[in-house]
């Protein structure tokens, strides 16, 4: 109902795809379509016949006992209330009603079912206003008509002519509010003093508050009755029902979004720092230019097309904290990249977080309230939406980690933590690692898992930023050269190396503490799945191998899934290292992956192959060396075979299964017979068919097979040359 | 050395002769009984919490990471700007030493009438994040808006035209000359006057609320890092009914997109204040030094400890290492330790186990909960500088 002519138009434009039989438009093209259709259906459609009746009916025709009239009226009413009336029907019916050709009673009845299906033609309204001026209409009917206009205001197709006659409309009811002038406000305020606090006046005044906050100030009571009741509500209900049925994208939200606080709980907090402020326009007009320019307050923004149409004249709200609640506003924020705006938002957010969790000035409780939870969830979803963390939440986390008990709002805090931007390697230890280490080693298994998961997310976000911004660099325009943050590629790599090493340390000790728990191992392997692909997936020339404390527990894990994933990780490491090597040879420089990394990889690879494939273990010179005499004491027969693919505790079950399938009649189990000849191949096939893709990729990429003189198939790990 | 000791103990309905045993010179030894309040516990908890929070890392203005990140990546590709420039993650540090208070006749720079408004009253302290688009030239219109806002908030649901004559009158004024450096914004003083409905035209209006926003010797690095649209007046002192304070704060929040929070003065800062006031003794007689501790007994016990100024000065003089213009935190701690050990010798009560709640001298008084009274204009800047510092340390970024 506000002067948002082009808004609703844009809304409507966006919906031009909706089905034409119902939503014919006023534009010529669609009129023609309607015309054609009408001619086609002329004979049969009773609705069109009814319309024809109303457009041609003579003035003074009696309405009492007029069966034809009644039949036609019911016809149109039914359509109106079920599907909504097409524009030209609105036009005909409005003209019929307002001309009072059959008296005021008919007029009221018609107005009540005048529910537009799509738009209301402007001409119809103008003509109706003209009737309003000439005919002797009852006051109540006049009011009804004006209320109808207000209800469907957003659906009027264009409003330039209507603007011209605002004066008339304003003359009839002072609750019209379409051009903002101080004298109008004053008039309304006068009315207010005369009539007291009428809800509809408040509604209008609150609109003024949106558009010219410098003229009027108003505190809305927390519970307010909706402004225009009675008729509007039935219209609105009918209208929304029709719109829902038509499934048109015409989502003109006719309910005014008033700044009424939705008090969810009655408990009053002494401090309101957790309340997200309401969107409201700023009282101060920033610059002289903006006062002459038409601004578009964010409060009025309801749809994305609206945002696009008004992108150049959107005004930021008076309190940036209010943006947190609206994804549309956040879209805009992301677009404007306004430093001050971000700073304001950060001040608000930082203040709320500090007060709640660090200064604890709330109710004395430390943020366990549902409000705190709500705020953090909202913050999280905002950061996910913007795909970046706020610097104030980052600063807050660094402080909060030192006092956090590790359980308060854990998912939220860890979620925020994974959003923090790249931390320079010089301070990463003090800011992040020290507090985390303390929490990690003193907490439960599940906390350990969630910390590893959080750090994995953090790493992949860092890497994604790198891959996006480093590649897009040519397109990027230097916007704000005064920001102190400045990080070079080597600085970034240092940070990543620090992070990966840190997680390596955590993982190794964590696995030991928790007895190589497979859940923890699974999260750790998740992390290394990110790490092993840093070069190929994210274009970061860096390869870091897992520490022995992670590699061996994964290799000797009792569950086949972990071994399989280790196989996949090794396969990806190999891919990354090989292509890094290729690139290094081609470009002759650029970056350098240390020989040590290759050496570590080869070492792991050889060990894995000889252990899983060649049944060689505990030999001198290998990573795990056990004194032969000690082994003999253990009385394990052929100890060197105990971790090959057949005897490995993770695969033993599969080996049994396979054995049983191969030799169902055998009474005595002889697993070693699987090693011989074709059975080994079949066994491998069998394993791969059980879903061990990682193992398959590892075997196919890293093992060159050659037949030794004996029966056993020997494999050789494909080392990478240094 | 200690001439007089006042003791107050908060114990439930039991006069303890423990203190009135008075083996020692207890002139006005009295034991007052009052219900212990949970409030004391709360503060001590708060103290602990906030002391754990280490030096805040004020990465002022690292606003948007992604942009800066993008830029950083460019610089590495261009290979012009190698090396990570710090400045990111700079911290506002808690100072370990301060200048000795300089006696300064503030009335030479500041209008004496305005100074009179500030001194000899007790103010409640809050901190404020920087004000967005605050202009010292717009104070008139702020007056109008704030008064309209107050009236409309008081009469929920009645729209108020801005600029109309109302029951309240708000005055904004600048207190020129209180700022010390160029970066300090000038102090703003706000008064709310109320009119009686039936008062005659020339009746004097009654001041119902007053408050001021100030910044004295604020951290230069911090202030410079703020964009020009922001004005930092981090310290708010208020006096008047709580309801009006809330309204004024909420108007500021809505208009300048800032946030308020309570500003307590922690033990360390109270000790600083004690030392600063003692340091003034040679020039102005401070008459007495009164310290109040709360001990975490069950129920909590308050200990009032009053020291003769001359004794205090002698102790202070003895712990001062040299006659430099700087006072270090070590000296302050030693001074307080000296007072505490003296007390312990007499009463066997370890004051260091409790927390310092209140410090007062004839020059002024200050309370842990964030109340301050400055009695003499002479050292006002020193005090305000300390409070500005406390307020800036509370800034979220």
């Amino acid at each position: 109902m506000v002067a948002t002519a082009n808004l609703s138009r844009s809304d409507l434009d966006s919906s031009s795809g909706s089905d034409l039989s119902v939503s014919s438009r006023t534009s010529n093209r669609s009129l023609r379509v309607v015309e054609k259709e009408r001619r086609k259906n002329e004979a049969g459609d009773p609705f069109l016949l009814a319309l024809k009746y109303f457009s041609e009916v003579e003035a003074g025709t009696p309405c009492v006992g007029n069966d034809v009239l009644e039949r036609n009226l019911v016809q149109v009413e039914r359509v109106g209330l079920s599907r909504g009336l097409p524009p030209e029907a609105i036009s005909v019916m409005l003209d019929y009603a307002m001309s009072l050709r059959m008296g005021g009673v008919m007029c009221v009845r018609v107005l009540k079912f005048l529910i537009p299906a799509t738009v209301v033609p402007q001409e119809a309204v103008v003509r109706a206003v003209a009737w309003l001026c000439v005919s002797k209409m009852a006051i109540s009917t006049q009011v009804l008509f004006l209320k109808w206009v207000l209800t469907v205001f957003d659906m009027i197709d264009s409003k330039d002519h209507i603007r011209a006659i605002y004066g008339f409309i304003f003359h009839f009811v002072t609750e019209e509010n379409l051009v903002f002038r101080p004298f109008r406000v004053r008039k309304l305020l006068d009315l207010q003093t005369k009539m007291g606090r009428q809800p509809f006046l408040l509604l209008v005044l609150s609109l003024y508050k949106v558009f010219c906050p410098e003229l009027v100030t108003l505190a809305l009571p927390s519970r307010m009755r909706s402004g225009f009741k009675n008729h509007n509500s039935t219209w609105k209900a009918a209208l929304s029902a029709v719109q829902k049925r038509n499934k048109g994208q015409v989502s003109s939200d006719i309910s005014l979004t008033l700044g009424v606080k939705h008090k969810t709980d009655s408990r009053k907090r002494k401090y309101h720092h957790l309340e997200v402020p309401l969107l409201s326009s700023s009282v101060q007009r920033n610059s002289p230019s903006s006062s002459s320019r038409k601004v578009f307050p964010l409060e009025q923004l309801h749809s994305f097309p609206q945002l696009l149409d008004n992108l150049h004249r959107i005004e930021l709200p008076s309190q940036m904290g209010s943006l947190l609640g609206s994804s549309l506003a956040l879209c805009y924020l992301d677009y404007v990249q306004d430093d001050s705006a971000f700073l304001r938002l950060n001040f608000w957010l930082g203040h709320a977080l500090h007060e709640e969790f660090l200064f604890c000035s709330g109710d004395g409780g430390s943020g366990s309230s549902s409000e705190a939870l709500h705020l953090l969830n909202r913050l999280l979803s905002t950061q996910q939406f913007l795909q970046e963390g706020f610097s104030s939440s980052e600063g807050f986390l660094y402080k909060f980690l030192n006092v956090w008990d590790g359980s308060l709002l854990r998912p939220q805090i860890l979620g925020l933590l994974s959003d923090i931007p790249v931390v320079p390697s010089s301070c990463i230890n003090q800011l992040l690692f020290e507090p985390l280490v303390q929490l990690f080693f003193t907490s439960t298994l599940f906390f350990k898992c969630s910390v590893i998961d959080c750090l994995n997310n953090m790493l992949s976000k860092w890497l994604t930023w790198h891959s996006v911004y480093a590649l897009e660099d040519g397109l990027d325009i230097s916007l704000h050269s005064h920001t102190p943050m400045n990080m070079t590629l080597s600085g970034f790599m240092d940070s990543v190396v620090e992070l990966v090493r840190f997680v390596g340390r955590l993982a190794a000790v964590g696995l030991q503490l928790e007895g190589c728990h497979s859940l923890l191992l699974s999260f750790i392997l998740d992390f290394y799945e990110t790490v092993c692909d840093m070069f190929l997936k994210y274009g970061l020339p860096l390869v870091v191998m897992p520490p022995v404390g992670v590699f061996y527990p994964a290799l000797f894990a009792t569950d086949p899934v972990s071994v399989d994933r280790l196989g996949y990780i090794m396969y990806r490491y190999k891919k990354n290292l090989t292509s890094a090597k290729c690139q290094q040879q081609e470009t002759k420089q650029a970056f350098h992956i240390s020989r040590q990394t290759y050496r570590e990889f080869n070492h792991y690879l050889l060990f894995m192959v000889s252990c899983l494939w060649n049944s060689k273990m505990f030999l001198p010179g290998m990573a795990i060396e056990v004194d032969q005499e000690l082994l003999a004491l253990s009385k394990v027969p052929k100890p060197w075979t105990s971790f090959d693919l057949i005897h490995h505790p993770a695969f033993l079950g599969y080996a049994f299964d396979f054995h049983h399938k191969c030799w169902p009649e055998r009474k005595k189990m002889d697993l070693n017979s699987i090693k011989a000849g074709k059975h080994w191949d079949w066994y491998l096939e069998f394993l791969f068919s059980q879903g061990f893709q990682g193992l398959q990729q590892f075997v196919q990429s890293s093992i060159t097979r050659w037949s030794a003189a004996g029966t056993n198939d020997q494999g050789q790990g494909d080392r990478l040359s240094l | 050395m200690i001439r007089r000791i006042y003791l107050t103990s908060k114990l439930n309905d039991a006069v303890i002769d423990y203190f009135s045993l008075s083996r020692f010179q207890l002139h006005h030894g009295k034991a007052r009984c009052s219900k212990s309040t949970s409030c004391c516990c709360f503060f001590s908890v708060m103290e602990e919490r906030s002391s754990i929070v280490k030096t805040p890392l004020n990465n002022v203005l690292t606003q948007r990471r992604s942009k800066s990140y993008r830029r950083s990546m460019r610089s590495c590709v261009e290979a012009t700007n190698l090396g990570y420039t710090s400045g990111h993650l700079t911290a506002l540090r808690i100072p370990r030493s301060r200048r000795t208070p300089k006696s300064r006749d503030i009335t030479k720079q500041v209008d004496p009438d305005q100074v009179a408004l500030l001194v000899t009253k007790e103010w409640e302290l809050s901190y404020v994040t920087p004000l967005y688009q605050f202009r010292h030239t717009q104070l008139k219109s702020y007056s109008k808006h704030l008064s309209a806002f107050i009236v409309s908030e008081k009469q929920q649901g009645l729209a108020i035209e801005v600029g109309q004559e109302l029951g309240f009158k708000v005055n904004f004024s600048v207190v020129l000359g209180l700022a010390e450096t160029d970066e300090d914004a000038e102090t703003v003083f706000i008064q709310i006057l109320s009119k009686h409905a039936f008062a005659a035209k020339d009746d004097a209006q009654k001041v119902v609320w007053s408050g001021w926003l100030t910044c004295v010797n604020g951290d230069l690095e911090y202030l410079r890092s703020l964009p020009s649209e922001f004005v930092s007046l981090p310290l708010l002192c208020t006096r008047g009914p709580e309801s009006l304070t809330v309204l004024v704060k909420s108007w500021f929040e809505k208009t300048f997109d800032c946030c308020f929070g309570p500003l307590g003065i922690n033990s360390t800062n109270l000790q600083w204040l004690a030392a600063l006031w003692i340091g003034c003794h040679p020039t102005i007689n401070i008459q007495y030094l009164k310290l109040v501790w709360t001990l975490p007994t069950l129920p909590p016990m308050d200990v009032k400890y009053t020291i003769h100024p001359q004794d205090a000065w002698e102790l202070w003089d003895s712990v001062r290492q040299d006659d430099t213009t700087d006072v270090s935190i070590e000296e302050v701690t030693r001074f307080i330790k000296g007072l505490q050990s003296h007390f312990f010798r007499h009463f066997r009560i370890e004051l260091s186990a409790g927390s310092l709640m209140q410090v007062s001298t004839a020059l002024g008084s200050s309370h842990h909960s964030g109340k301050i009274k400055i009695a003499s204009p002479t050292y006002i800047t020193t005090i305000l500088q300390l409070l500005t510092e406390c307020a800036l340390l509370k800034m979220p970024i």
Side-chain angles (χ1 to χ4, degrees):
Chain A
M1 62 187 287
V2 201
T4 47
N6 39 6
L7 303 188
S8 49
R9 200 184 317 147
S10 69
D11 273 357
L12 294 166
D13 287 346
S14 70
S15 72
S16 54
S18 56
D19 81 346
L20 280 167
S21 68
V22 185
S23 72
S24 39
R25 8 221 64 236
T26 45
S27 67
N28 289 333
R29 195 182 60 83
S30 37
L31 265 183
R32 274 202 303 277
V33 174
V34 173
E35 197 67 28
K36 208 191 288 172
E37 251 180 14
R38 180 184 294 167
R39 240 175 269 132
K40 210 192 291 172
N41 300 335
E42 190 96 45
D45 195 341
F47 173 62
L48 292 176
L49 288 176
L51 282 186
K52 198 159 180 263
Y53 169 80
F54 283 115
S55 62
E56 289 165 3
V57 70
E58 291 288 321
T61 314
C63 55
V64 183
N66 188 340
D67 284 348
V68 186
L69 168 73
E70 189 59 29
R71 201 183 58 234
N72 287 327
L73 203 58
V74 167
Q75 186 66 42
V76 181
E77 192 170 24
R78 199 167 45 78
V79 174
L81 291 179
S82 60
R83 283 183 293 148
L85 297 172
E88 70 277 12
I90 295 266
S91 180
V92 167
M93 294 310 292
L94 195 60
D95 200 47
Y96 163 76
M98 295 302 287
S99 62
L100 298 181
R101 265 177 274 181
M102 288 189 181
V105 185
M106 274 289 110
C107 175
V108 172
R109 183 165 170 193
V110 169
L111 277 179
K112 278 185 181 162
F113 63 75
L114 223 46
I115 307 298
T118 52
V119 293
V120 176
Q122 175 184 231
E123 285 69 35
V125 179
V126 173
R127 221 176 312 135
V129 172
W131 281 117
L132 193 69
C133 296
V134 297
S135 58
K136 299 170 282 296
M137 200 178 278
I139 290 291
S140 63
T141 319
Q142 287 182 13
V143 170
L144 186 66
F145 167 70
L146 285 164
K147 282 182 176 171
W148 178 81
V149 172
L150 288 178
T151 311
V152 299
F153 192 84
D154 279 343
M155 309 180 79
I156 297 177
D157 54 356
S158 73
K159 299 185 177 95
D160 36 349
H161 291 297
I162 292 204
R163 284 225 176 82
I165 57 166
Y166 278 163
F168 289 103
I169 300 179
F170 206 79
H171 172 76
F172 280 100
V173 262
T174 24
E175 66 225 56
E176 193 48 91
N177 60 331
L178 304 145
V179 181
F180 303 106
R181 296 271 163 71
F183 70 84
R184 291 259 155 87
V185 179
R186 211 152 287 156
K187 172 116 192 173
L188 285 170
L189 288 167
D190 285 347
L191 263 177
Q192 182 184 250
T193 43
K194 266 183 235 154
M195 301 168 62
R197 298 170 197 186
Q198 297 292 336
F200 60 89
L201 275 182
L202 272 188
L203 202 75
V204 177
L205 281 165
S206 64
L207 270 179
Y208 275 101
K209 202 178 155 230
V210 172
F211 283 94
C212 11
E214 70 275 16
L215 286 177
V216 65
T217 168
L218 169 72
L220 288 167
S222 50
R223 236 170 260 274
M224 212 180 101
R225 285 179 296 150
S226 65
F228 308 95
K229 262 198 164 167
N230 318 333
H231 303 282
N232 288 39
S233 54
T234 50
W235 272 324
K236 273 178 198 167
L239 197 56
S240 57
V242 165
Q243 283 178 348
K244 209 176 281 171
R245 220 167 295 145
N246 288 351
K247 282 276 179 218
Q249 282 82 32
V250 195
S251 62
S252 88
D253 184 11
I254 49 171
S255 69
L256 272 176
T257 44
L258 262 188
V260 180
K261 288 176 192 167
H262 299 289
K263 282 257 159 53
T264 40
D265 54 357
S266 52
R267 191 167 70 91
K268 250 200 155 174
R269 285 173 67 99
K270 196 175 170 196
Y271 298 95
H272 306 287
H273 53 257
L274 287 182
E275 250 174 46
V276 175
L278 298 160
L279 269 176
S280 64
S281 356
S282 131
V283 172
Q284 348 184 27
R285 295 287 184 226
N286 308 346
S287 52
S289 68
S290 70
S291 57
S292 56
R293 196 161 57 97
K294 274 196 81 147
V295 292
F296 188 85
L298 270 178
E299 274 165 289
Q300 291 294 307
L301 197 63
H302 298 301
S303 68
F304 197 73
Q306 250 180 328
L307 173 72
L308 292 183
D309 276 3
N310 297 288
L311 211 49
H312 55 291
R313 56 196 187 102
I314 280 181
E315 183 197 50
L316 286 169
S318 64
Q319 283 172 284
M320 288 297 293
S322 54
L323 290 197
L324 224 50
S326 150
S327 55
L328 272 178
L330 286 172
C331 278
Y332 179 66
L333 184 68
D334 203 36
Y335 159 77
V336 286
Q337 309 255 317
D338 180 344
D339 270 3
S340 303
F342 265 93
L343 196 55
R344 283 158 66 195
L345 188 52
N346 273 318
F347 272 126
W348 177 82
L349 191 62
H351 173 261
L353 293 172
H354 276 73
E355 281 293 331
E356 181 65 22
F357 296 102
L358 293 173
F359 305 151
C360 301
S361 62
D363 301 333
S366 56
S368 53
S369 61
S370 60
E371 288 104 320
L373 177 70
H374 185 68
L375 179 81
L376 288 189
N377 280 334
R378 200 173 238 198
L379 174 60
L380 265 177
S381 64
T382 305
Q383 292 195 348
Q384 267 154 23
F385 182 79
L386 295 175
Q387 298 184 357
E388 61 183 309
F390 290 107
S391 60
S392 56
S393 78
E394 183 196 358
F396 158 74
L397 283 170
Y398 294 149
K399 293 180 209 170
F400 188 62
L401 279 184
N402 290 300
V403 292
W404 189 35
D405 61 359
S407 74
L408 178 73
L409 299 168
R410 181 195 298 164
Q412 285 74 21
I413 297 292
L414 287 179
L416 287 180
L417 193 62
S418 72
D419 277 342
I420 64 168
V422 186
V423 188
S425 58
S426 56
C427 44
I428 195 168
N429 200 39
Q430 185 214 341
L431 294 178
L432 201 61
F433 296 165
E434 278 177 16
L436 267 185
V437 161
Q438 275 195 346
L439 285 169
F440 186 85
F441 289 130
T442 54
S443 302
T444 59
L445 171 71
F446 295 100
F447 182 79
K448 291 189 175 84
C449 293
S450 35
V451 167
I452 300 283
D453 185 46
C454 158
L455 293 172
N456 184 22
N457 288 337
M458 186 191 292
L459 178 68
S460 52
K461 278 171 199 171
W462 289 8
L463 293 171
T464 312
W465 287 326
H466 164 79
S467 63
V468 171
Y469 295 126
L471 295 178
E472 248 185 25
D473 206 61
L475 299 172
D476 191 31
I477 303 156
S478 174
L479 287 169
H480 305 276
S481 52
H482 61 264
T483 319
M485 175 83 175
N486 204 350
M487 190 175 259
T488 60
L489 179 61
S490 70
F492 175 73
M493 294 231 295
D494 286 347
S495 295
V496 171
V497 170
E498 286 286 328
L499 179 64
V500 174
R501 295 235 166 100
F502 172 68
V503 177
R505 286 198 300 276
L506 280 191
V509 185
L511 281 173
Q512 223 164 29
L513 284 177
E514 300 294 341
C516 300
H517 199 284
S518 40
L519 186 64
L520 181 61
L521 187 59
S522 157
F523 279 98
I524 292 168
L525 291 176
D526 274 345
F527 180 78
Y528 280 101
E529 273 184 20
T530 314
V531 173
C532 67
D533 251 347
M534 286 194 294
F535 178 70
L536 282 180
K537 214 163 154 188
Y538 301 101
L540 186 70
L542 183 69
V543 178
V544 185
M545 297 303 295
V548 286
V550 171
F551 177 79
Y552 290 110
L555 182 60
F556 298 138
T558 48
D559 60 312
V561 179
S562 298
V563 184
D564 176 62
R565 292 181 72 189
L566 183 68
Y568 173 76
I569 289 170
M570 288 303 282
Y571 158 72
R572 291 307 301 176
Y573 266 124
K574 178 163 188 180
K575 281 253 173 199
N576 276 265
L577 284 168
T578 328
S579 57
K581 188 134 207 121
C582 286
Q583 194 168 325
Q584 207 166 337
Q585 276 159 357
E586 274 171 26
T587 54
K588 294 283 174 213
Q589 35 101 34
F591 59 90
H592 188 73
I593 288 170
S594 77
R595 290 169 147 256
Q596 182 59 33
T597 311
Y598 285 101
R599 216 172 278 138
E600 274 177 55
F601 172 77
N602 282 339
H603 194 78
Y604 285 153
L605 181 80
L606 280 185
F607 188 85
M608 245 175 115
V609 171
S610 53
C611 164
L612 292 178
W613 193 275
N614 294 338
S615 314
K616 281 181 190 155
M617 282 280 285
F618 311 120
L619 296 177
M622 292 182 82
I624 299 175
E625 224 176 296
V626 180
D627 189 43
Q628 293 299 320
E629 288 173 18
L630 205 61
L631 276 177
L633 277 178
S634 74
K635 299 215 172 72
V636 176
K638 292 197 207 164
W640 50 90
T641 62
S642 49
F643 284 100
D644 60 18
L645 278 176
I646 301 166
H647 297 91
H648 194 293
F651 297 106
L652 196 59
Y654 291 94
F656 280 150
D657 201 11
F658 180 76
H659 186 273
H660 184 71
K661 278 188 175 137
C662 276
W663 301 282
E665 70 287 353
R666 266 199 212 175
K667 289 279 176 292
K668 197 165 168 292
M669 189 74 79
D670 177 22
L671 289 179
N672 281 329
S673 54
I674 298 175
K675 261 276 178 187
K678 276 282 169 219
H679 288 297
W680 178 245
D681 283 334
W682 292 340
Y683 178 60
L684 288 179
E685 281 298 320
F686 172 72
L687 278 185
F688 299 157
S689 72
Q690 301 294 313
F692 297 123
Q693 305 304 321
L695 210 58
Q696 185 176 17
Q697 281 163 323
F698 173 73
V699 167
Q700 284 167 358
S701 72
S702 305
I703 298 182
T704 313
R705 298 171 63 172
W706 49 280
S707 255
T711 50
N712 275 8
D713 201 353
Q714 288 288 316
Q716 184 183 18
D718 289 347
R719 299 169 182 236
L720 292 168
S721 55
L722 296 177
Chain B
M1 170 176 183
I2 308 289
R3 304 259 164 91
R4 271 169 292 162
I5 299 170
Y6 299 89
L7 265 182
T8 313
S9 125
K10 265 192 186 173
L11 289 178
N12 277 344
D13 300 327
V15 182
I16 6 121
D17 8 21
Y18 176 60
F19 287 108
S20 45
L21 280 176
S22 167
R23 277 189 294 138
F24 318 105
Q25 237 182 334
L26 264 181
H27 283 289
H28 300 284
K30 53 180 176 181
R32 184 161 51 85
C33 304
S34 62
K35 291 277 177 204
S36 63
T37 53
S38 59
C39 143
C40 301
C41 306
F42 169 63
F43 285 131
S44 58
V45 168
M46 202 172 109
E47 187 82 48
E48 254 166 52
R49 284 296 294 261
S50 50
S51 62
I52 299 170
V53 178
K54 288 176 189 163
T55 319
L57 282 146
N58 288 67
N59 41 339
V60 183
L61 315 188
T62 11
Q63 296 125 5
R64 300 202 65 195
R65 193 228 51 265
S66 76
K67 279 187 295 166
S68 49
Y69 184 72
R70 253 183 268 188
R71 184 166 42 260
S72 67
M73 281 305 149
R74 177 177 339 98
S75 66
C76 81
V77 170
E78 288 167 357
T80 49
N81 187 10
L82 292 165
Y84 166 72
T85 54
S86 65
H88 170 64
L89 302 174
T90 51
L92 276 183
R93 307 216 174 275
I94 298 167
R96 297 191 55 80
S97 74
R98 292 169 197 278
R99 319 226 94 199
T100 47
K102 272 185 307 210
S103 133
R104 202 181 118 200
D105 192 3
I106 195 84
T107 47
K108 277 185 186 153
Q109 302 159 25
V110 188
D111 183 3
D113 292 344
Q114 285 183 317
V115 174
L117 289 173
L118 307 184
V119 296
T120 70
K121 289 175 185 126
E122 188 172 66
W123 300 98
E124 201 155 326
L125 304 175
S126 308
Y127 70 89
V128 198
T129 61
L131 310 177
Y132 177 66
Q133 297 211 323
F134 179 89
R135 295 203 185 84
H136 283 83
T137 50
Q138 298 276 312
L139 297 185
K140 267 221 175 98
S141 91
Y142 297 158
S143 303
K144 280 186 207 158
H145 275 108
L146 180 54
S147 56
F149 179 80
I150 289 172
V151 174
S152 78
E153 286 287 331
K154 293 223 164 209
Q155 310 194 341
Q156 289 277 308
L158 192 67
I160 305 295
E161 186 187 359
V162 173
Q164 200 184 321
E165 279 285 298
L166 301 157
F168 284 98
K169 190 170 182 317
V170 178
N171 272 338
F172 274 72
S173 54
V174 187
V175 182
L176 285 171
L178 216 50
E180 288 273 285
T181 63
D182 288 345
E183 302 293 333
D184 288 343
E186 291 291 353
T187 300
V188 175
F189 192 82
I190 306 156
Q191 253 183 343
I192 300 177
L193 309 148
S194 120
K195 268 191 286 192
H196 285 294
F198 306 105
K201 264 229 163 112
D202 46 353
D203 260 9
Q205 291 171 330
K206 204 176 128 221
V207 176
V208 288
W209 187 91
S210 45
W212 41 299
L213 287 153
T214 191
C215 178
V216 175
N217 258 328
D219 184 83
L220 290 178
E221 204 183 325
Y222 184 83
L223 294 178
R224 281 180 190 144
S225 66
L226 287 173
S228 58
E229 299 101 318
F230 290 87
V231 172
S232 183
L233 286 164
L235 182 65
L236 170 72
C237 308
T238 59
R239 179 184 156 77
E242 174 74 15
S243 60
L244 275 176
T245 310
V246 169
L247 285 184
V248 171
K249 282 182 179 176
S250 105
W251 181 79
F252 266 90
E253 281 169 3
K254 288 195 166 77
T255 315
F256 304 110
D257 206 355
C258 56
C259 310
F260 291 82
L263 179 66
I265 308 174
N266 62 20
S267 280
T268 316
N269 284 313
L270 286 175
Q271 293 180 7
W272 271 113
L273 277 170
L276 291 177
W277 275 324
I278 279 296
C280 303
H281 187 61
T283 43
I284 291 185
N285 188 358
I286 61 166
Q287 290 175 26
Y288 57 90
L289 172 66
K290 195 163 83 183
L291 304 165
V292 179
W293 265 274
T294 296
L295 297 179
T297 53
L298 213 71
M301 180 166 69
D302 280 357
V303 177
K304 253 182 221 170
Y305 185 0
T306 310
I307 304 119
H308 190 277
Q310 197 53 41
D311 294 340
W313 166 252
E314 275 165 25
L315 178 60
W316 175 240
D317 201 40
S318 70
V319 299
R320 293 273 286 138
Q321 276 164 330
D322 39 32
D323 284 338
T324 51
T325 50
D326 285 346
V327 180
S328 71
I329 183 75
E330 287 79 17
E331 290 165 349
V332 176
T333 322
R334 226 174 294 141
F335 172 66
I336 300 291
K337 276 260 153 61
L339 292 175
Q340 287 173 342
S341 63
H342 181 81
F343 193 85
F344 182 76
R345 254 202 321 279
H346 288 292
F347 301 103
R348 300 288 151 198
I349 292 176
E350 192 60 76
L351 287 178
S352 58
S355 53
L356 185 58
M357 301 303 285
Q358 198 179 331
V359 172
S360 50
T361 68
L363 289 181
S365 70
S366 65
H367 194 274
H368 180 273
S369 64
K371 287 193 186 108
I372 192 137
K373 184 167 138 186
I374 304 169
S376 153
T378 319
Y379 291 102
I380 194 168
T381 44
T382 314
I383 310 296
L384 289 181
Q385 181 180 344
L386 184 116
L387 295 176
T388 304
E389 212 172 79
C390 295
L392 282 179
L393 281 171
K394 288 265 191 179
M395 293 296 129
I397 44 174

